[in-house]
Amino acid sequence: MTDTIFALSSGAPPAGIAVIRVSGPAARSALEALARRVPPPRTASLALLVDPQDDAPLDRALTLWLPGPATVTGEDLVELHCHGGRAVVAAVEAALGAMPGLRRAEAGEFTRRAFANGRMDLNAVEGLADLLAAETQQQRRAALIMAEGHFSRRIEGWRATLLDLSAMAEAALDFSDEDDVPDAAIEARIGEGIAALARDVTAVLAAPSAERLRDGVRVVLAGPPNAGKSTLLNVLVGRDAAIVSDIAGTTRDRIEVPAGIGGVAFLFTDTAGLRDETGDAIEAIGIDRARSALVAADIILWLGDAADAPRDDALLIAAQCDRDGEGDRPGLRLSARTGEGMDALVALLLDRAAKLLPGEGDYALHARQRQRVGHIAAFLDSAASARDLLILAEELRQARREIDALTGQAGTEDMLDRLFAGFCIGK
C-alpha cells in the first residue's frame, strides 16, 4: 500500500463540521501543501487551507498531523476538520485529488489498511461493521465490545496457551531422555492444560448469535385460519402490515416485519393458517412456508389448540378472548382489539429474547466465528483423546491454524473483499 488515500469520514454535507482523512506516505506533504505548515504531532492547529495550484483560499480549518504507526490505519494520517458545507468539502477534495500520488478511498479502505497493518484483527473489524449498522442499544453494546477487542484478547490467550502446550509436547517428544525435562509428569500437565482450554473454548461456543442480534429475534405467529394472527401482528409492530379479514385463508404467504420493542430487535412473521387439507394450491404453498418458518423460529406464538402446538416451548396464546364465549382456553388470554394481555405478552417476549441475546458486557458470535471456534474445540477434543504424542502435537498445531483463520491471519481475499465492501467510503 504505497499510495495515499483520502475521503470524507464524517456525515454527508451540509453539516456543522466535515472531517476529511488522508492516510498514507504522502499524508504529511499533502497537509504541508494545503496549510503551508505542519503542526506538532497530535496537536490541533487552526490553519487557512489553500489550493496548492493557485494559492486560492479554500477554508479555515483545524488540522491534525498523526504520524504512524500509532494511528487508526497504522500509517501516517492527516485529519482536516473543515466547515461542513458541500462547496467547502468539494473544494478541499478536489485539491487533494489533484496532488500526485493521492486518490479517493474505496469503501472500507481505511479499515482494511488498519487490518493489514495489524491495528485491528478480523473480529474487531466485524465488530466495527456491526457497530456501524447498529439500530438498537443492545446491538450497539455487543458490537462495541467486539470492536474494542474483548473477544480478540481472549483468543490471544488461547494462542499463548496452545504455544505452551505445544512446546511441552515437543519437549516430551525430543528431549524426554534429558535430565532437565520432567517426562514423568509432562504428559499429565499437557492433558490438564488441554482440558482447561477446552472448557473455555466450549464456554465461548455458548455465546449468542450475532445474526440473531443483527436481524432480530425471529417470532412466528402460527395457528389455524382466522385465529387472529394478522391482527396480533399489526398491534405488535404498531402498523397495518398484514391484511385482516374474516375470510379464512386471507394470509397466503408469510409476512416478515421487523420491529424494535423495549430496545430489542424482533422479526415478526405472520403465516398462513395451518390446516390439513385445502383445495387451493396457492394456500397449500403458504402452509408449507408457514411450517418452514416454524422450524427456523426462535419464539413461536401459537394461537391454536394446545394439543396441536408445533413445539413444547411454544407460547400458547388464547387470542380473541373478547369474542370467546366458550370458556377459558389454555394460554395467555389476549385481545389485540381491546389490548387485554398485550403488556403481558410483550413482557414474555422480552424475557425469552433476553435468554437468546448477549447480556450486559457480553459479545455475540457470527457464524464464521462460531464455526472456527467449533473447529478449535474439535481439535482439542482429538488432542485430549490422543494416545500418541505425535498425533497430539499435530492436533494442537491444527488448533493454532484455526486461531489464525479466526483472527484473519490466514483469511481469504474473497471473504475480506465482501466484508470491507459493506463499509462506507470514509471508514
Side-chain angles (χ1 to χ4, degrees):
M1 298 183 182
T2 58
D3 53 349
T4 300
I5 58 173
F6 68 90
L8 176 68
S9 292
S10 55
I17 296 292
V19 179
I20 298 174
R21 275 179 173 172
V22 186
S23 181
R28 180 188 173 97
S29 60
L31 176 59
E32 192 169 13
L34 286 172
R36 296 294 190 251
R37 59 186 176 84
V38 177
R42 293 171 174 78
T43 302
S45 177
L46 187 65
L48 177 66
L49 304 184
V50 298
D51 191 328
Q53 294 185 343
D54 57 10
D55 290 337
L58 300 173
D59 188 31
R60 189 169 296 277
L62 281 177
T63 62
L64 280 169
W65 160 236
L66 307 167
T71 65
V72 67
T73 60
E75 303 175 323
D76 287 350
L77 189 73
V78 164
E79 286 190 0
L80 306 173
H81 295 235
C82 308
H83 291 93
R86 291 189 178 91
V88 173
V89 172
V92 175
E93 288 186 326
L96 289 169
M99 296 180 188
L102 269 70
R103 64 171 175 82
R104 291 180 182 274
E106 298 176 359
E109 193 166 5
F110 284 89
T111 306
R112 185 156 194 164
R113 291 189 175 205
F115 170 74
N117 292 323
R119 302 298 294 176
M120 304 174 71
D121 76 351
L122 187 54
N123 300 298
V125 170
E126 288 174 321
L128 179 58
D130 290 339
L131 187 60
L132 295 174
E135 294 183 356
T136 70
Q137 293 304 311
Q138 194 168 41
Q139 291 170 342
R140 176 191 62 79
R141 286 192 294 268
L144 184 60
I145 288 170
M146 184 65 73
E148 290 289 305
H150 290 249
F151 181 52
S152 299
R153 286 190 286 275
R154 193 166 189 173
I155 294 169
E156 284 306 308
W158 295 352
R159 185 200 300 277
T161 300
L162 280 170
L163 287 172
D164 290 343
L165 293 171
S166 296
M168 285 191 285
E170 294 296 335
L173 283 167
D174 298 337
F175 306 108
S176 58
D177 56 341
E178 299 291 336
D179 293 338
D180 58 347
V181 178
D183 56 301
I186 195 168
E187 290 190 38
R189 288 173 56 199
I190 293 172
E192 291 169 0
I194 291 174
L197 180 57
R199 286 193 296 271
D200 194 36
V201 172
T202 302
V204 168
L205 275 176
S209 162
E211 286 77 18
R212 180 185 287 128
L213 180 64
R214 180 193 63 210
D215 301 333
V217 177
R218 301 187 70 90
V219 180
V220 175
L221 290 77
N226 272 5
K229 300 181 295 296
S230 298
T231 301
L232 178 57
L233 173 79
N234 291 342
V235 174
L236 284 168
V237 303
R239 62 186 179 90
D240 291 337
I243 297 174
V244 176
S245 168
D246 291 333
I247 301 173
T250 298
T251 302
R252 293 180 168 225
D253 199 358
R254 65 189 192 189
I255 300 170
E256 294 187 339
V257 186
I261 300 177
V264 176
F266 289 94
L267 183 64
F268 291 98
T269 303
D270 186 16
T271 59
L274 298 176
R275 48 184 168 184
D276 294 331
E277 296 182 3
T278 176
D280 190 320
I282 301 300
E283 185 182 5
I285 294 173
I287 291 173
D288 286 340
R289 291 183 177 179
R291 293 195 171 104
S292 297
L294 288 171
V295 173
D298 296 315
I299 302 172
I300 296 174
L301 301 184
W302 180 248
L303 280 70
D305 291 337
D308 299 327
R311 281 192 343 216
D312 291 339
D313 64 347
L315 289 174
L316 298 179
I317 306 297
Q320 301 175 333
C321 68
D322 55 317
R323 303 192 306 182
D324 188 1
E326 300 179 1
D328 291 342
R329 295 196 324 231
L332 174 65
R333 287 183 55 81
L334 183 146
S335 170
R337 297 182 186 277
T338 67
E340 180 183 345
M342 289 302 301
D343 289 343
L345 175 59
V346 169
L348 282 172
L349 289 174
L350 292 175
D351 181 66
R352 286 284 184 97
K355 296 178 175 64
L356 300 170
L357 298 174
E360 192 74 32
D362 294 334
Y363 43 72
L365 295 187
H366 285 274
R368 181 196 72 85
Q369 296 166 323
R370 190 178 303 280
Q371 180 187 52
R372 295 297 181 185
V373 173
H375 290 170
I376 295 169
F379 284 124
L380 289 174
D381 184 62
S382 297
S385 59
R387 295 292 178 263
D388 189 321
L389 273 176
L390 279 173
I391 296 176
L392 182 148
E394 175 60 18
E395 296 294 344
L396 294 180
R397 188 182 69 83
Q398 293 291 346
R400 295 201 311 273
R401 288 186 60 185
E402 287 298 322
I403 287 181
D404 289 341
L406 188 55
T407 59
Q409 295 182 31
T412 63
E413 284 300 311
D414 289 344
M415 184 273 292
L416 295 175
D417 288 342
R418 288 197 301 272
L419 174 62
F420 290 112
F423 281 71
C424 58
I425 296 296
K427 289 299 290 182

